[in-house]
Amino acid sequence: MTNTIAEMAAAWDPARFEEARYQWWEERGYFQPRIDHEQQPFVVIMPPPNVTGQLHLGHALTASVEDALVRWHRMRGDPTLWLPGTDHAGIATQYVVENHLASQGIDRREIGRQKFLEHVWEWVREYGGAIQNQHRRLGASCDWTRERFTLDEGPSRAVRATFVNLYESGRIYRGERMINWCPTDHTALSDLETEYEDAAGKLWHINYPYTDGSGRHVTVATTRPETYLGDTAVAVNTNDPRFADAIGLTVRLPFIDREIPIIGDDYVDMEFGTGALKVTPAHDQNDFEIGQRHGLEAIEVIAADGTLNENAGPFAGLERFAARQSIVSELEAAGFLERTEEYQNRVGRCYRCQTIIEPRLSIQWFVDIAPLAERAAEAVRDGRIRIVPERFTGTYLNWMDGIRDWCISRQLWWGHRIPAWFCGECDGDRLQIILGEAITGPDGQPLWEATYSQLREIGLTPEEIVARADRVNADKDATPIVAVDGPSACPECGPAALLQDPDVLDTWFSSGLWPHSTLGWPDDAEDYRYFHPTSVLETGYDILFFWVARMIMMGLENTGDVPFRTVYLHGLVRDAQRQKMSKTRGNVIDPLESIAEYGTDALRMALTIATTPGNDLALTPGRMEAGRNFANKLWNAARFVARSVETSGAAVGGEMPEPSHREDRWIVSRLNGVTAHVNQLLEDFQLGQAEQVIRDFLWDEFADWYIELAKVRIRNGDTAPVAYLVGALEQSVRLLHPFMPFVTEEIWQSLVARAPGLARGVESIMVSAYPQADVGDADRASEAEVGDVINVVRAIRNARAEGNVEHSRMIEVFVDADTRSRQAIDDSREAIGTLARVSSLRVLEEDDERPDPASVMTAILDGVTVMAPLAGLVDADAERARLTKELEETQGRLTGLEQRLGNEGFRSKAPAHVVAKEEERLAESRQRVERIEEQLARLG
RNA sequence: GGGCGGUUAGCUCAGUUGGUUAGAGCGCAGCGUUGACAUCGCUGAGGUCAGAGGUUCAAAUCCUCUAUCGCCCACCA
């Protein structure tokens, strides 16, 4: 695409290439793995974003990291699958669509389940494509032909199969338990979906008079006075002397005049409040458990919509917080309120809509999770699954340890409907049927709901009941019939009226199956056989419990194997002020806007370079600018390289020839060192570090030095460097490609266009081989020698800058070097001349006369002394002061080294190579001190 | 109440089995448009690695404590 220099504009322009290039890759089928049973595949399943959502920077980070891993493995030759997908996101989506409809004056309850679901599907069709487009813009090389949606037939059947298996083995059960209820969403939530936060509240002390006529009362302390209407006991600690005589007595609840007992239960903390605890079994988990122990009745007073129900007597119909106000003032007016304290407590909120959760007793489906958790913990403990970074292993195991049963039913419409049916003929009295439209009841009045049995008595046939039923509420003793594809008959009574449970499953239930349900399980699918277990599961640490832990539990249960080998947890992306990004804060950055401004490669680099797993990242505009600037720098370096191929006419082949020139040996050696290092870092999941190493090599060594050194030789007609300019750049962009796919591809194409041998038979960098190297190949001599040349150039530049020598003025330089550097400096004299603007460079021999120290600026490096006579610019006093300071520093270092090496402990205990290194440094420092002293002596 | 993490240059962050004089980007100061690149080049300033103690020949790195910010988990009304 970019075959001429003219086409390679002076600046990297992502907009010009990205979209076309993505399509070009996709058309060639690069995103699809080949199935090769001789090879171990590399598989990543993408965390499915909300199908109707917009990608935020967290997703962009996910995509950047996963794409880097995937592209790296693909280039290594592994059959590589990155499977994308989306999640139906039960509550979130239903909530959004419901609000949308409400804004049009439509109430979902009025239009009914079927109509509502049609609206949601329409919504999905309308907004569902955004995610895929955004991933394409991010350059994500995922296999769109295998894209899955949680509500697709395959994953849906996997959900039902899992439910049935767990039910049949007794690990899914239906029962009446205390659950977290969201009065806004009208559904149960799991413990994880309830977020607790501290809130300023009050502790009300309420008097309950004894019924013995003594006129005495017991005082209870509560943060939720409105629940007193549902109290069925007051509990005290059996060891509490204050209440020793009270147990067994009864008290009377104000206004509603219910008589309730005082019971003894050691759950009660004598230190807290008054030592007497009001017990509301229907609206508090602990109270429920106390109630169970003592056989107390659970009286519900707060209804599903958060208003007080008929059991609330005079307060019925009030909203729960309005009721609290009202009850407190009534109690106070009637003298039942002893006192009020300020109190900090924790309130649970719905993680989607922030409504305060109401603990509520209801019939739900649960997973008996402890046995699954035990196996899931074991898989991590024994190393079958590795978590990166490792510290999350403890968090994970701790969570598994104290896990409670998982409430999986949701009173929503959008999601996987629970595959459980109830038989009207068997459980007629236990099934409350809510009708889609009213029928005429026996009394001539419209009838909206009735038990199945009652409807039969009216004369409806089973078929008619099924057809008219909008939903069924089965009581806790009803017997569900659970089947993957829906039962056609009741096992007890044959063909009958079967009514499906109205609830859907927790979204995370289906997400928990994602690694195997997307690959075809429970069928014996080829993808499943080949690609499962997957390799790496990459996601944010914030959904370790929600998702990762559940995938491990469900994966082990369903497949008998771990779902993935490695869990890589990235940190959260925050804004420049380290605030969490959220819609309500209004600080979300749209990845597409960043891409438009800086380019995809720049955004990806900003999100990943020099980051470390599990640590949060504040994404600043500066990081993105740095990414853009690097892409541009690289692009321009490539322009120079391309140009040098054309103008030199050098024939460049596929492999770099064995280098003979020191500078060429140096860059090849450094390239190999970087290649080996990068591979090692990638193996160890240190992606950010690997990226940093590549960037530093390309900018600080290749562009800043090798290109500049090569220019000098090329100018003199030496075409040898061209092969290394091309070869080193080509190999470097291959190293970088997983991180910055677009700019590296364009550069690679431009290089291949000029040196077709580089392609090595492939059409794209994406499918070229990832570079490998052996650290043992390093050319230490050339690295040291070119290092000396670079240091000399730097020293001269430094002297020029300090002496304020005008750029246009060429200067003379004398160099006194030891044998190691002398030849290298002599050989590179022209380069030094050009790069440091030196007109004449003299490498001094043993008996050559040194220039007058009073008129030179001197830089003393390891093994090299650089002297720049700057007539009229050198202040002998200043020079003396500078050298004296340097002498002090060097001597200080020398003293340290002498002490260390004089220490017997160091000599005997430190590894030999460390000792040798220190000795080398000692010798260098000594020599340097000598030379500084000598120079000072000559200065007088 | 338990547990985890951060604290390194003005800002954002690297620094993985303890081993040269602790690094980068941005910012800052000075200089610089000769054909790869001003989205750039050159030079430089800037850090007692939160604090204290300990282990060690050697500590930003390991241990203990403290401070501070943040996160996770937990049934105290």
Side-chain angles (χ1 to χ4, degrees), chain A residues 399-437:
Chain A
W399 186 73
M400 286 294 182
D401 200 31
I403 199 162
R404 291 171 32 175
D405 284 1
W406 176 17
C407 175
I408 52 171
S409 44
R410 297 290 177 275
Q411 288 64 55
L412 303 171
W413 289 346
W414 177 241
H416 297 98
R417 188 129 171 213
I418 289 178
W421 286 259
F422 297 96
C423 172
E425 297 302 310
C426 298
D427 277 325
D429 293 329
R430 298 192 169 108
L431 306 182
Q432 188 77 12
I433 311 290
I434 291 100
L435 296 165
E437 53 187 279

mmCIF file of all heavy atoms in Angstrom, chain A residues 399-437:
data_model
loop_
_atom_site.group_PDB
_atom_site.id
_atom_site.type_symbol
_atom_site.label_atom_id
_atom_site.label_comp_id
_atom_site.label_asym_id
_atom_site.label_seq_id
_atom_site.Cartn_x
_atom_site.Cartn_y
_atom_site.Cartn_z
ATOM 1 N N TRP A 399 -12.049 -16.161 49.308
ATOM 2 C CA TRP A 399 -13.456 -16.009 48.927
ATOM 3 C C TRP A 399 -14.114 -17.382 48.812
ATOM 4 O O TRP A 399 -15.236 -17.596 49.253
ATOM 5 C CB TRP A 399 -13.547 -15.251 47.606
ATOM 6 C CG TRP A 399 -14.959 -14.929 47.214
ATOM 7 C CD1 TRP A 399 -15.768 -13.992 47.772
ATOM 8 C CD2 TRP A 399 -15.722 -15.571 46.196
ATOM 9 N NE1 TRP A 399 -16.982 -13.989 47.163
ATOM 10 C CE2 TRP A 399 -16.997 -14.947 46.184
ATOM 11 C CE3 TRP A 399 -15.470 -16.595 45.276
ATOM 12 C CZ2 TRP A 399 -18.009 -15.318 45.291
ATOM 13 C CZ3 TRP A 399 -16.473 -16.951 44.389
ATOM 14 C CH2 TRP A 399 -17.726 -16.324 44.398
ATOM 15 N N MET A 400 -13.395 -18.305 48.208
ATOM 16 C CA MET A 400 -13.933 -19.650 48.037
ATOM 17 C C MET A 400 -14.210 -20.306 49.380
ATOM 18 O O MET A 400 -15.143 -21.083 49.526
ATOM 19 C CB MET A 400 -12.918 -20.516 47.272
ATOM 20 C CG MET A 400 -12.824 -20.193 45.801
ATOM 21 S SD MET A 400 -14.363 -20.617 44.986
ATOM 22 C CE MET A 400 -13.970 -20.214 43.296
ATOM 23 N N ASP A 401 -13.385 -19.948 50.335
ATOM 24 C CA ASP A 401 -13.459 -20.567 51.637
ATOM 25 C C ASP A 401 -14.764 -20.236 52.360
ATOM 26 O O ASP A 401 -15.406 -21.091 52.931
ATOM 27 C CB ASP A 401 -12.254 -20.088 52.465
ATOM 28 C CG ASP A 401 -12.001 -21.022 53.614
ATOM 29 O OD1 ASP A 401 -12.296 -22.218 53.443
ATOM 30 O OD2 ASP A 401 -11.525 -20.557 54.661
ATOM 31 N N GLY A 402 -15.159 -18.982 52.326
ATOM 32 C CA GLY A 402 -16.327 -18.589 53.100
ATOM 33 C C GLY A 402 -17.584 -18.443 52.262
ATOM 34 O O GLY A 402 -18.488 -17.702 52.610
ATOM 35 N N ILE A 403 -17.631 -19.140 51.149
ATOM 36 C CA ILE A 403 -18.695 -18.902 50.178
ATOM 37 C C ILE A 403 -20.064 -19.357 50.674
ATOM 38 O O ILE A 403 -20.187 -20.319 51.428
ATOM 39 C CB ILE A 403 -18.335 -19.605 48.847
ATOM 40 C CG1 ILE A 403 -19.127 -19.033 47.706
ATOM 41 C CG2 ILE A 403 -18.538 -21.111 48.994
ATOM 42 C CD1 ILE A 403 -18.516 -19.367 46.365
ATOM 43 N N ARG A 404 -21.084 -18.591 50.310
ATOM 44 C CA ARG A 404 -22.459 -18.960 50.669
ATOM 45 C C ARG A 404 -23.244 -19.311 49.419
ATOM 46 O O ARG A 404 -22.855 -18.950 48.322
ATOM 47 C CB ARG A 404 -23.118 -17.798 51.400
ATOM 48 C CG ARG A 404 -22.488 -17.604 52.771
ATOM 49 C CD ARG A 404 -22.929 -16.347 53.466
ATOM 50 N NE ARG A 404 -24.314 -15.993 53.126
ATOM 51 C CZ ARG A 404 -24.931 -14.973 53.710
ATOM 52 N NH1 ARG A 404 -24.331 -14.265 54.605
ATOM 53 N NH2 ARG A 404 -26.160 -14.673 53.348
ATOM 54 N N ASP A 405 -24.341 -20.004 49.619
ATOM 55 C CA ASP A 405 -25.108 -20.461 48.467
ATOM 56 C C ASP A 405 -25.476 -19.298 47.547
ATOM 57 O O ASP A 405 -25.722 -18.186 47.981
ATOM 58 C CB ASP A 405 -26.360 -21.213 48.927
ATOM 59 C CG ASP A 405 -25.990 -22.611 49.421
ATOM 60 O OD1 ASP A 405 -24.783 -22.940 49.401
ATOM 61 O OD2 ASP A 405 -26.890 -23.353 49.819
ATOM 62 N N TRP A 406 -25.485 -19.624 46.288
ATOM 63 C CA TRP A 406 -25.640 -18.610 45.237
ATOM 64 C C TRP A 406 -27.105 -18.571 44.780
ATOM 65 O O TRP A 406 -27.606 -19.562 44.255
ATOM 66 C CB TRP A 406 -24.694 -18.994 44.094
ATOM 67 C CG TRP A 406 -24.757 -18.140 42.861
ATOM 68 C CD1 TRP A 406 -25.302 -16.905 42.716
ATOM 69 C CD2 TRP A 406 -24.216 -18.487 41.588
ATOM 70 N NE1 TRP A 406 -25.129 -16.451 41.443
ATOM 71 C CE2 TRP A 406 -24.475 -17.400 40.718
ATOM 72 C CE3 TRP A 406 -23.531 -19.602 41.093
ATOM 73 C CZ2 TRP A 406 -24.073 -17.409 39.382
ATOM 74 C CZ3 TRP A 406 -23.136 -19.609 39.762
ATOM 75 C CH2 TRP A 406 -23.399 -18.520 38.924
ATOM 76 N N CYS A 407 -27.716 -17.442 44.997
ATOM 77 C CA CYS A 407 -29.097 -17.265 44.520
ATOM 78 C C CYS A 407 -29.040 -16.970 43.023
ATOM 79 O O CYS A 407 -28.481 -15.957 42.607
ATOM 80 C CB CYS A 407 -29.759 -16.101 45.263
ATOM 81 S SG CYS A 407 -31.414 -15.729 44.651
ATOM 82 N N ILE A 408 -29.586 -17.877 42.230
ATOM 83 C CA ILE A 408 -29.449 -17.751 40.772
ATOM 84 C C ILE A 408 -30.726 -17.330 40.055
ATOM 85 O O ILE A 408 -30.703 -17.086 38.849
ATOM 86 C CB ILE A 408 -28.960 -19.083 40.140
ATOM 87 C CG1 ILE A 408 -29.837 -20.239 40.599
ATOM 88 C CG2 ILE A 408 -27.484 -19.312 40.459
ATOM 89 C CD1 ILE A 408 -29.568 -21.535 39.854
ATOM 90 N N SER A 409 -31.831 -17.258 40.768
ATOM 91 C CA SER A 409 -33.061 -16.865 40.063
ATOM 92 C C SER A 409 -33.256 -15.363 40.140
ATOM 93 O O SER A 409 -32.913 -14.727 41.143
ATOM 94 C CB SER A 409 -34.264 -17.592 40.669
ATOM 95 O OG SER A 409 -34.203 -17.561 42.074
ATOM 96 N N ARG A 410 -33.743 -14.809 39.055
ATOM 97 C CA ARG A 410 -34.002 -13.369 38.994
ATOM 98 C C ARG A 410 -35.424 -13.170 38.498
ATOM 99 O O ARG A 410 -35.840 -13.818 37.533
ATOM 100 C CB ARG A 410 -33.035 -12.688 38.020
ATOM 101 C CG ARG A 410 -31.561 -12.764 38.411
ATOM 102 C CD ARG A 410 -31.242 -11.897 39.629
ATOM 103 N NE ARG A 410 -29.853 -12.035 40.011
ATOM 104 C CZ ARG A 410 -29.388 -13.003 40.808
ATOM 105 N NH1 ARG A 410 -30.208 -13.908 41.305
ATOM 106 N NH2 ARG A 410 -28.110 -13.058 41.098
ATOM 107 N N GLN A 411 -36.103 -12.213 39.115
ATOM 108 C CA GLN A 411 -37.491 -11.963 38.717
ATOM 109 C C GLN A 411 -37.493 -10.966 37.569
ATOM 110 O O GLN A 411 -38.068 -9.878 37.645
ATOM 111 C CB GLN A 411 -38.291 -11.476 39.927
ATOM 112 C CG GLN A 411 -38.568 -12.578 40.941
ATOM 113 C CD GLN A 411 -37.311 -13.132 41.596
ATOM 114 O OE1 GLN A 411 -36.525 -12.401 42.164
ATOM 115 N NE2 GLN A 411 -37.113 -14.448 41.486
ATOM 116 N N LEU A 412 -36.795 -11.358 36.527
ATOM 117 C CA LEU A 412 -36.691 -10.507 35.338
ATOM 118 C C LEU A 412 -37.276 -11.256 34.158
ATOM 119 O O LEU A 412 -37.596 -12.438 34.245
ATOM 120 C CB LEU A 412 -35.218 -10.203 35.030
ATOM 121 C CG LEU A 412 -34.373 -9.543 36.108
ATOM 122 C CD1 LEU A 412 -32.915 -9.543 35.687
ATOM 123 C CD2 LEU A 412 -34.857 -8.131 36.363
ATOM 124 N N TRP A 413 -37.358 -10.558 33.039
ATOM 125 C CA TRP A 413 -37.858 -11.203 31.818
ATOM 126 C C TRP A 413 -36.745 -11.455 30.818
ATOM 127 O O TRP A 413 -36.843 -12.317 29.968
ATOM 128 C CB TRP A 413 -38.940 -10.311 31.191
ATOM 129 C CG TRP A 413 -40.208 -10.305 31.993
ATOM 130 C CD1 TRP A 413 -40.534 -11.189 32.996
ATOM 131 C CD2 TRP A 413 -41.307 -9.405 31.871
ATOM 132 N NE1 TRP A 413 -41.771 -10.874 33.496
ATOM 133 C CE2 TRP A 413 -42.269 -9.784 32.821
ATOM 134 C CE3 TRP A 413 -41.566 -8.306 31.042
ATOM 135 C CZ2 TRP A 413 -43.483 -9.122 32.974
ATOM 136 C CZ3 TRP A 413 -42.770 -7.637 31.193
ATOM 137 C CH2 TRP A 413 -43.721 -8.048 32.150
ATOM 138 N N TRP A 414 -35.692 -10.645 30.910
ATOM 139 C CA TRP A 414 -34.626 -10.720 29.900
ATOM 140 C C TRP A 414 -33.527 -11.647 30.407
ATOM 141 O O TRP A 414 -32.811 -11.297 31.342
ATOM 142 C CB TRP A 414 -34.090 -9.317 29.641
ATOM 143 C CG TRP A 414 -32.938 -9.196 28.680
ATOM 144 C CD1 TRP A 414 -31.707 -8.705 28.962
ATOM 145 C CD2 TRP A 414 -32.913 -9.539 27.302
ATOM 146 N NE1 TRP A 414 -30.915 -8.725 27.854
ATOM 147 C CE2 TRP A 414 -31.634 -9.240 26.814
ATOM 148 C CE3 TRP A 414 -33.863 -10.100 26.423
ATOM 149 C CZ2 TRP A 414 -31.266 -9.460 25.488
ATOM 150 C CZ3 TRP A 414 -33.487 -10.317 25.105
ATOM 151 C CH2 TRP A 414 -32.212 -9.992 24.646
ATOM 152 N N GLY A 415 -33.422 -12.802 29.790
ATOM 153 C CA GLY A 415 -32.382 -13.725 30.223
ATOM 154 C C GLY A 415 -32.759 -15.157 29.881
ATOM 155 O O GLY A 415 -33.687 -15.400 29.107
ATOM 156 N N HIS A 416 -31.983 -16.076 30.444
ATOM 157 C CA HIS A 416 -32.285 -17.487 30.211
ATOM 158 C C HIS A 416 -33.361 -17.924 31.181
ATOM 159 O O HIS A 416 -33.149 -17.930 32.393
ATOM 160 C CB HIS A 416 -31.045 -18.346 30.439
ATOM 161 C CG HIS A 416 -29.914 -18.037 29.496
ATOM 162 N ND1 HIS A 416 -28.865 -17.234 29.840
ATOM 163 C CD2 HIS A 416 -29.703 -18.424 28.208
ATOM 164 C CE1 HIS A 416 -28.033 -17.141 28.806
ATOM 165 N NE2 HIS A 416 -28.520 -17.841 27.806
ATOM 166 N N ARG A 417 -34.495 -18.318 30.650
ATOM 167 C CA ARG A 417 -35.579 -18.730 31.526
ATOM 168 C C ARG A 417 -35.214 -20.043 32.193
ATOM 169 O O ARG A 417 -34.632 -20.932 31.574
ATOM 170 C CB ARG A 417 -36.853 -18.893 30.685
ATOM 171 C CG ARG A 417 -38.060 -19.120 31.516
ATOM 172 C CD ARG A 417 -39.166 -18.186 31.148
ATOM 173 N NE ARG A 417 -40.391 -18.562 31.834
ATOM 174 C CZ ARG A 417 -41.600 -18.398 31.317
ATOM 175 N NH1 ARG A 417 -41.733 -17.872 30.112
ATOM 176 N NH2 ARG A 417 -42.667 -18.738 32.003
ATOM 177 N N ILE A 418 -35.554 -20.125 33.457
ATOM 178 C CA ILE A 418 -35.224 -21.341 34.206
ATOM 179 C C ILE A 418 -35.949 -22.549 33.605
ATOM 180 O O ILE A 418 -37.170 -22.495 33.402
ATOM 181 C CB ILE A 418 -35.587 -21.141 35.688
ATOM 182 C CG1 ILE A 418 -34.595 -20.140 36.286
ATOM 183 C CG2 ILE A 418 -35.562 -22.468 36.451
ATOM 184 C CD1 ILE A 418 -34.848 -19.797 37.725
ATOM 185 N N PRO A 419 -35.209 -23.611 33.311
ATOM 186 C CA PRO A 419 -35.834 -24.773 32.654
ATOM 187 C C PRO A 419 -36.561 -25.656 33.659
ATOM 188 O O PRO A 419 -36.234 -26.826 33.818
ATOM 189 C CB PRO A 419 -34.649 -25.482 31.996
ATOM 190 C CG PRO A 419 -33.494 -25.173 32.905
ATOM 191 C CD PRO A 419 -33.751 -23.801 33.469
ATOM 192 N N ALA A 420 -37.540 -25.066 34.341
ATOM 193 C CA ALA A 420 -38.310 -25.825 35.322
ATOM 194 C C ALA A 420 -39.790 -25.549 35.084
ATOM 195 O O ALA A 420 -40.168 -24.413 34.805
ATOM 196 C CB ALA A 420 -37.925 -25.408 36.740
ATOM 197 N N TRP A 421 -40.566 -26.620 35.145
ATOM 198 C CA TRP A 421 -42.000 -26.509 34.897
ATOM 199 C C TRP A 421 -42.753 -27.105 36.087
ATOM 200 O O TRP A 421 -42.197 -27.926 36.833
ATOM 201 C CB TRP A 421 -42.376 -27.275 33.621
ATOM 202 C CG TRP A 421 -41.958 -26.579 32.361
ATOM 203 C CD1 TRP A 421 -42.751 -25.854 31.533
ATOM 204 C CD2 TRP A 421 -40.644 -26.557 31.781
ATOM 205 N NE1 TRP A 421 -42.031 -25.363 30.468
ATOM 206 C CE2 TRP A 421 -40.733 -25.776 30.586
ATOM 207 C CE3 TRP A 421 -39.406 -27.085 32.122
ATOM 208 C CZ2 TRP A 421 -39.639 -25.534 29.762
ATOM 209 C CZ3 TRP A 421 -38.324 -26.836 31.300
ATOM 210 C CH2 TRP A 421 -38.430 -26.073 30.136
ATOM 211 N N PHE A 422 -43.991 -26.655 36.227
ATOM 212 C CA PHE A 422 -44.825 -27.222 37.287
ATOM 213 C C PHE A 422 -46.058 -27.838 36.657
ATOM 214 O O PHE A 422 -46.595 -27.310 35.679
ATOM 215 C CB PHE A 422 -45.225 -26.122 38.276
ATOM 216 C CG PHE A 422 -44.031 -25.533 38.964
ATOM 217 C CD1 PHE A 422 -43.451 -24.363 38.483
ATOM 218 C CD2 PHE A 422 -43.467 -26.168 40.062
ATOM 219 C CE1 PHE A 422 -42.332 -23.830 39.093
ATOM 220 C CE2 PHE A 422 -42.346 -25.635 40.686
ATOM 221 C CZ PHE A 422 -41.783 -24.469 40.203
ATOM 222 N N CYS A 423 -46.462 -28.947 37.218
ATOM 223 C CA CYS A 423 -47.608 -29.661 36.663
ATOM 224 C C CYS A 423 -48.871 -29.242 37.400
ATOM 225 O O CYS A 423 -48.987 -29.431 38.616
ATOM 226 C CB CYS A 423 -47.400 -31.169 36.788
ATOM 227 S SG CYS A 423 -48.878 -32.090 36.326
ATOM 228 N N GLY A 424 -49.809 -28.674 36.673
ATOM 229 C CA GLY A 424 -51.053 -28.223 37.269
ATOM 230 C C GLY A 424 -51.851 -29.363 37.870
ATOM 231 O O GLY A 424 -52.461 -29.212 38.921
ATOM 232 N N GLU A 425 -51.823 -30.499 37.219
ATOM 233 C CA GLU A 425 -52.642 -31.621 37.692
ATOM 234 C C GLU A 425 -52.096 -32.181 39.006
ATOM 235 O O GLU A 425 -52.844 -32.651 39.844
ATOM 236 C CB GLU A 425 -52.710 -32.713 36.625
ATOM 237 C CG GLU A 425 -53.375 -32.258 35.336
ATOM 238 C CD GLU A 425 -54.815 -31.751 35.567
ATOM 239 O OE1 GLU A 425 -55.587 -32.467 36.226
ATOM 240 O OE2 GLU A 425 -55.143 -30.639 35.102
ATOM 241 N N CYS A 426 -50.773 -32.137 39.164
ATOM 242 C CA CYS A 426 -50.174 -32.674 40.393
ATOM 243 C C CYS A 426 -50.187 -31.649 41.531
ATOM 244 O O CYS A 426 -50.334 -31.989 42.692
ATOM 245 C CB CYS A 426 -48.725 -33.105 40.167
ATOM 246 S SG CYS A 426 -48.548 -34.422 38.969
ATOM 247 N N ASP A 427 -49.936 -30.390 41.187
ATOM 248 C CA ASP A 427 -49.742 -29.366 42.220
ATOM 249 C C ASP A 427 -50.788 -28.263 42.118
ATOM 250 O O ASP A 427 -50.509 -27.095 42.365
ATOM 251 C CB ASP A 427 -48.341 -28.748 42.077
ATOM 252 C CG ASP A 427 -47.276 -29.587 42.751
ATOM 253 O OD1 ASP A 427 -47.579 -30.175 43.801
ATOM 254 O OD2 ASP A 427 -46.145 -29.646 42.230
ATOM 255 N N GLY A 428 -52.003 -28.650 41.751
ATOM 256 C CA GLY A 428 -53.057 -27.672 41.461
ATOM 257 C C GLY A 428 -53.233 -26.588 42.504
ATOM 258 O O GLY A 428 -53.399 -25.413 42.175
ATOM 259 N N ASP A 429 -53.186 -26.973 43.793
ATOM 260 C CA ASP A 429 -53.434 -25.976 44.834
ATOM 261 C C ASP A 429 -52.205 -25.140 45.134
ATOM 262 O O ASP A 429 -52.276 -24.143 45.825
ATOM 263 C CB ASP A 429 -53.874 -26.667 46.133
ATOM 264 C CG ASP A 429 -55.240 -27.312 45.949
ATOM 265 O OD1 ASP A 429 -56.036 -26.773 45.156
ATOM 266 O OD2 ASP A 429 -55.484 -28.354 46.573
ATOM 267 N N ARG A 430 -51.066 -25.607 44.652
ATOM 268 C CA ARG A 430 -49.817 -24.914 44.985
ATOM 269 C C ARG A 430 -49.423 -23.898 43.920
ATOM 270 O O ARG A 430 -48.432 -23.205 44.060
ATOM 271 C CB ARG A 430 -48.668 -25.931 45.125
ATOM 272 C CG ARG A 430 -48.910 -26.923 46.251
ATOM 273 C CD ARG A 430 -47.647 -27.696 46.530
ATOM 274 N NE ARG A 430 -47.786 -28.441 47.757
ATOM 275 C CZ ARG A 430 -47.921 -29.762 47.816
ATOM 276 N NH1 ARG A 430 -47.911 -30.480 46.711
ATOM 277 N NH2 ARG A 430 -48.051 -30.353 48.983
ATOM 278 N N LEU A 431 -50.197 -23.881 42.833
ATOM 279 C CA LEU A 431 -49.836 -22.993 41.730
ATOM 280 C C LEU A 431 -50.829 -21.844 41.635
ATOM 281 O O LEU A 431 -52.013 -22.044 41.395
ATOM 282 C CB LEU A 431 -49.823 -23.768 40.407
ATOM 283 C CG LEU A 431 -48.962 -25.022 40.373
ATOM 284 C CD1 LEU A 431 -49.020 -25.650 38.977
ATOM 285 C CD2 LEU A 431 -47.527 -24.715 40.766
ATOM 286 N N GLN A 432 -50.300 -20.656 41.833
ATOM 287 C CA GLN A 432 -51.123 -19.458 41.665
ATOM 288 C C GLN A 432 -50.915 -18.993 40.237
ATOM 289 O O GLN A 432 -49.802 -18.672 39.835
ATOM 290 C CB GLN A 432 -50.668 -18.390 42.669
ATOM 291 C CG GLN A 432 -51.550 -17.184 42.744
ATOM 292 C CD GLN A 432 -52.840 -17.458 43.532
ATOM 293 O OE1 GLN A 432 -52.944 -18.499 44.204
ATOM 294 N NE2 GLN A 432 -53.813 -16.567 43.440
ATOM 295 N N ILE A 433 -52.004 -18.974 39.463
ATOM 296 C CA ILE A 433 -51.877 -18.590 38.061
ATOM 297 C C ILE A 433 -52.268 -17.129 37.908
ATOM 298 O O ILE A 433 -53.355 -16.725 38.331
ATOM 299 C CB ILE A 433 -52.820 -19.438 37.166
ATOM 300 C CG1 ILE A 433 -52.684 -20.938 37.455
ATOM 301 C CG2 ILE A 433 -52.592 -19.117 35.695
ATOM 302 C CD1 ILE A 433 -51.401 -21.562 37.023
ATOM 303 N N ILE A 434 -51.387 -16.348 37.323
ATOM 304 C CA ILE A 434 -51.751 -14.972 36.992
ATOM 305 C C ILE A 434 -52.094 -14.955 35.505
ATOM 306 O O ILE A 434 -51.309 -15.402 34.672
ATOM 307 C CB ILE A 434 -50.602 -13.982 37.306
ATOM 308 C CG1 ILE A 434 -50.408 -13.880 38.821
ATOM 309 C CG2 ILE A 434 -50.939 -12.590 36.788
ATOM 310 C CD1 ILE A 434 -49.297 -14.682 39.359
ATOM 311 N N LEU A 435 -53.290 -14.476 35.217
ATOM 312 C CA LEU A 435 -53.796 -14.584 33.850
ATOM 313 C C LEU A 435 -53.356 -13.401 33.003
ATOM 314 O O LEU A 435 -53.182 -12.281 33.512
ATOM 315 C CB LEU A 435 -55.320 -14.652 33.883
ATOM 316 C CG LEU A 435 -55.854 -15.903 34.596
ATOM 317 C CD1 LEU A 435 -57.325 -15.746 34.914
ATOM 318 C CD2 LEU A 435 -55.607 -17.150 33.747
ATOM 319 N N GLY A 436 -53.189 -13.661 31.727
ATOM 320 C CA GLY A 436 -52.807 -12.596 30.799
ATOM 321 C C GLY A 436 -53.928 -11.589 30.671
ATOM 322 O O GLY A 436 -53.698 -10.386 30.604
ATOM 323 N N GLU A 437 -55.173 -12.083 30.606
ATOM 324 C CA GLU A 437 -56.298 -11.160 30.661
ATOM 325 C C GLU A 437 -57.369 -11.799 31.531
ATOM 326 O O GLU A 437 -57.472 -13.020 31.634
ATOM 327 C CB GLU A 437 -56.821 -10.841 29.264
ATOM 328 C CG GLU A 437 -57.150 -12.047 28.423
ATOM 329 C CD GLU A 437 -57.482 -11.622 27.002
ATOM 330 O OE1 GLU A 437 -58.627 -11.202 26.775
ATOM 331 O OE2 GLU A 437 -56.587 -11.714 26.130
#
